[in-house]
Amino acid sequence: MIAIGSDHGGFELKEALKKHFDEIGVAYEDFGCHDTNSIDYALIAKKVCGAITEGKCDKGILVCGTGIGMSMAANKFKGIRAAVCGDCFSAKFTRLHNDANVLCLGARVVGAGLATEIADLYINTPFEGGRHARRVAQITEIENGTF
Ligand code: RB5
Protein backbone atom coordinates (compact mmCIF):
# COMPACT_ATOMS: atom_id res chain seq x y z
CA MET A 1 0.00 0.00 0.00
CA ILE A 2 1.34 3.39 -1.06
CA ALA A 3 0.65 6.43 1.10
CA ILE A 4 0.28 9.45 -1.16
CA GLY A 5 -0.02 13.13 -0.28
CA SER A 6 0.59 16.63 -1.57
CA ASP A 7 0.27 20.28 -0.72
CA HIS A 8 -1.65 22.64 -3.00
CA GLY A 9 1.36 22.94 -5.33
CA GLY A 10 1.39 19.18 -5.88
CA PHE A 11 -2.35 18.54 -5.87
CA GLU A 12 -2.84 18.19 -9.61
CA LEU A 13 0.15 15.89 -10.05
CA LYS A 14 -1.04 13.77 -7.11
CA GLU A 15 -4.41 13.38 -8.81
CA ALA A 16 -2.68 12.38 -12.08
CA LEU A 17 -0.61 9.78 -10.21
CA LYS A 18 -3.75 8.39 -8.55
CA LYS A 19 -5.44 8.06 -11.95
CA HIS A 20 -2.38 6.18 -13.23
CA PHE A 21 -2.34 3.90 -10.15
CA ASP A 22 -6.05 3.17 -10.65
CA GLU A 23 -5.35 2.16 -14.25
CA ILE A 24 -2.48 -0.19 -13.41
CA GLY A 25 -3.95 -1.51 -10.14
CA VAL A 26 -1.57 -0.05 -7.57
CA ALA A 27 -3.19 0.29 -4.15
CA TYR A 28 -2.81 3.64 -2.42
CA GLU A 29 -4.25 5.71 0.39
CA ASP A 30 -4.63 9.44 -0.17
CA PHE A 31 -3.67 11.57 2.84
CA GLY A 32 -4.64 14.87 1.18
CA CYS A 33 -4.74 17.61 0.31
CA HIS A 34 -8.07 17.40 -1.47
CA ASP A 35 -8.16 20.67 -3.41
CA THR A 36 -5.90 23.54 -4.47
CA ASN A 37 -6.44 25.64 -1.33
CA SER A 38 -3.14 26.56 0.28
CA ILE A 39 -1.90 24.04 2.86
CA ASP A 40 1.48 23.68 4.57
CA TYR A 41 3.43 20.70 3.23
CA ALA A 42 4.71 19.58 6.65
CA LEU A 43 1.14 18.71 7.73
CA ILE A 44 0.80 16.28 4.84
CA ALA A 45 4.34 14.93 5.24
CA LYS A 46 3.49 14.11 8.87
CA LYS A 47 0.41 12.09 7.84
CA VAL A 48 2.15 10.13 5.08
CA CYS A 49 5.27 9.45 7.16
CA GLY A 50 3.11 8.39 10.11
CA ALA A 51 1.33 5.82 7.93
CA ILE A 52 4.73 4.35 7.00
CA THR A 53 6.31 4.35 10.46
CA GLU A 54 3.12 2.84 11.94
CA GLY A 55 3.31 0.06 9.33
CA LYS A 56 0.00 0.89 7.60
CA CYS A 57 1.77 1.63 4.30
CA ASP A 58 5.04 0.28 2.84
CA LYS A 59 6.10 3.34 0.91
CA GLY A 60 5.05 6.93 0.40
CA ILE A 61 4.90 9.53 -2.34
CA LEU A 62 4.84 13.22 -1.43
CA VAL A 63 4.31 15.97 -3.98
CA CYS A 64 4.85 19.70 -3.56
CA GLY A 65 6.04 22.44 -5.91
CA THR A 66 9.68 21.39 -5.91
CA GLY A 67 9.62 18.20 -3.84
CA ILE A 68 12.19 19.82 -1.60
CA GLY A 69 10.03 21.09 1.26
CA MET A 70 8.31 17.71 1.46
CA SER A 71 11.65 15.89 1.54
CA MET A 72 13.08 18.15 4.23
CA ALA A 73 10.01 17.66 6.40
CA ALA A 74 9.76 13.90 5.73
CA ASN A 75 13.41 13.25 6.59
CA LYS A 76 12.85 14.68 10.08
CA PHE A 77 10.65 11.71 10.96
CA LYS A 78 12.44 8.73 12.48
CA GLY A 79 12.62 5.79 10.10
CA ILE A 80 11.93 7.86 7.00
CA ARG A 81 14.38 7.98 4.10
CA ALA A 82 12.90 10.43 1.62
CA ALA A 83 14.43 11.20 -1.78
CA VAL A 84 13.52 13.95 -4.23
CA CYS A 85 13.75 12.52 -7.73
CA GLY A 86 13.45 14.37 -11.01
CA ASP A 87 14.77 11.55 -13.19
CA CYS A 88 14.36 7.79 -13.61
CA PHE A 89 17.97 6.89 -12.76
CA SER A 90 17.71 8.51 -9.32
CA ALA A 91 14.35 6.86 -8.66
CA LYS A 92 15.79 3.42 -9.46
CA PHE A 93 18.96 3.86 -7.45
CA THR A 94 17.39 5.43 -4.42
CA ARG A 95 15.52 2.14 -4.08
CA LEU A 96 18.46 -0.12 -4.97
CA HIS A 97 21.02 1.64 -2.78
CA ASN A 98 19.20 3.81 -0.22
CA ASP A 99 16.05 1.78 0.41
CA ALA A 100 14.14 5.08 0.20
CA ASN A 101 10.68 4.69 1.69
CA VAL A 102 9.36 8.06 0.51
CA LEU A 103 9.58 9.49 -3.00
CA CYS A 104 9.24 13.26 -3.26
CA LEU A 105 8.24 14.86 -6.55
CA GLY A 106 8.23 18.48 -7.63
CA ALA A 107 5.08 19.23 -9.60
CA ARG A 108 6.62 22.46 -10.90
CA VAL A 109 9.75 20.57 -11.96
CA VAL A 110 8.55 17.39 -13.68
CA GLY A 111 5.53 16.82 -15.91
CA ALA A 112 2.96 14.10 -15.28
CA GLY A 113 4.50 11.75 -17.88
CA LEU A 114 7.96 11.74 -16.32
CA ALA A 115 6.56 11.73 -12.78
CA THR A 116 4.56 8.60 -13.63
CA GLU A 117 7.65 6.79 -14.92
CA ILE A 118 9.62 7.87 -11.86
CA ALA A 119 6.86 6.66 -9.54
CA ASP A 120 6.59 3.28 -11.33
CA LEU A 121 10.34 2.70 -11.04
CA TYR A 122 10.31 3.75 -7.43
CA ILE A 123 7.47 1.36 -6.61
CA ASN A 124 8.82 -1.62 -8.55
CA THR A 125 12.54 -1.53 -7.74
CA PRO A 126 13.67 -3.64 -4.76
CA PHE A 127 16.40 -2.73 -2.27
CA GLU A 128 19.68 -4.39 -3.24
CA GLY A 129 20.87 -4.97 0.36
CA GLY A 130 24.45 -6.23 0.82
CA ARG A 131 26.93 -3.40 1.39
CA HIS A 132 24.08 -0.93 0.99
CA ALA A 133 22.32 -2.39 4.03
CA ARG A 134 25.35 -1.43 6.14
CA ARG A 135 25.21 2.10 4.80
CA VAL A 136 21.49 2.45 5.35
CA ALA A 137 22.00 1.12 8.90
CA GLN A 138 24.51 3.93 9.43
CA ILE A 139 21.83 6.46 8.50
CA THR A 140 19.63 4.92 11.19
CA GLU A 141 22.53 5.16 13.67
CA ILE A 142 22.88 8.86 12.84
CA GLU A 143 19.19 9.24 13.56
CA ASN A 144 19.58 7.45 16.89
CA GLY A 145 22.70 9.41 17.89
CA THR A 146 24.82 6.24 18.02
CA PHE A 147 26.97 6.75 14.91
C1 RB5 B 1 4.23 26.15 -2.16
O1 RB5 B 1 4.10 27.35 -2.84
C2 RB5 B 1 5.65 25.61 -2.32
O2 RB5 B 1 6.52 26.39 -1.55
C3 RB5 B 1 5.73 24.17 -1.93
O3 RB5 B 1 4.85 23.45 -2.73
C4 RB5 B 1 7.06 23.48 -2.09
O4 RB5 B 1 7.59 23.71 -3.34
C5 RB5 B 1 8.03 23.71 -1.02
O5 RB5 B 1 9.14 23.15 -1.01
Side-chain angles (χ1 to χ4, degrees):
M1 175 73 77
I2 305 292
I4 190 165
S6 76
D7 72 354
H8 54 288
F11 173 72
E12 280 174 20
L13 179 54
K14 172 172 68 69
E15 295 305 300
L17 288 170
K18 282 166 56 185
K19 185 170 176 282
H20 171 66
F21 292 153
D22 287 339
E23 282 164 7
I24 63 169
V26 168
Y28 61 83
E29 187 172 342
D30 184 359
F31 289 85
C33 60
H34 301 292
D35 53 42
T36 54
N37 291 324
S38 182
I39 183 167
D40 298 337
Y41 52 80
L43 297 170
I44 303 295
K46 183 180 179 184
K47 289 183 188 179
V48 165
C49 293
I52 296 164
T53 56
E54 287 161 21
K56 286 187 218 151
C57 294
D58 325 301
K59 292 190 184 92
I61 297 178
L62 285 167
V63 192
C64 65
T66 58
I68 297 171
M70 281 295 195
S71 71
M72 288 181 171
N75 277 317
K76 296 294 179 189
F77 293 97
K78 233 178 173 178
I80 296 299
R81 291 177 301 281
V84 190
C85 295
D87 63 274
C88 292
F89 184 88
S90 300
K92 182 177 171 187
F93 277 86
T94 202
R95 287 291 310 131
L96 285 171
H97 288 187
N98 314 125
D99 199 16
N101 52 9
V102 174
L103 168 69
C104 298
L105 293 165
R108 296 171 186 155
V109 181
V110 293
L114 177 56
T116 298
E117 289 200 15
I118 289 171
D120 285 350
L121 268 171
Y122 169 74
I123 288 167
N124 294 319
T125 306
F127 178 45
E128 200 173 288
R131 67 189 186 283
H132 302 294
R134 183 181 68 247
R135 293 162 186 167
V136 170
Q138 288 169 350
I139 295 173
T140 305
E141 287 176 30
I142 293 170
E143 202 170 57
N144 294 332
T146 56
F147 186 64

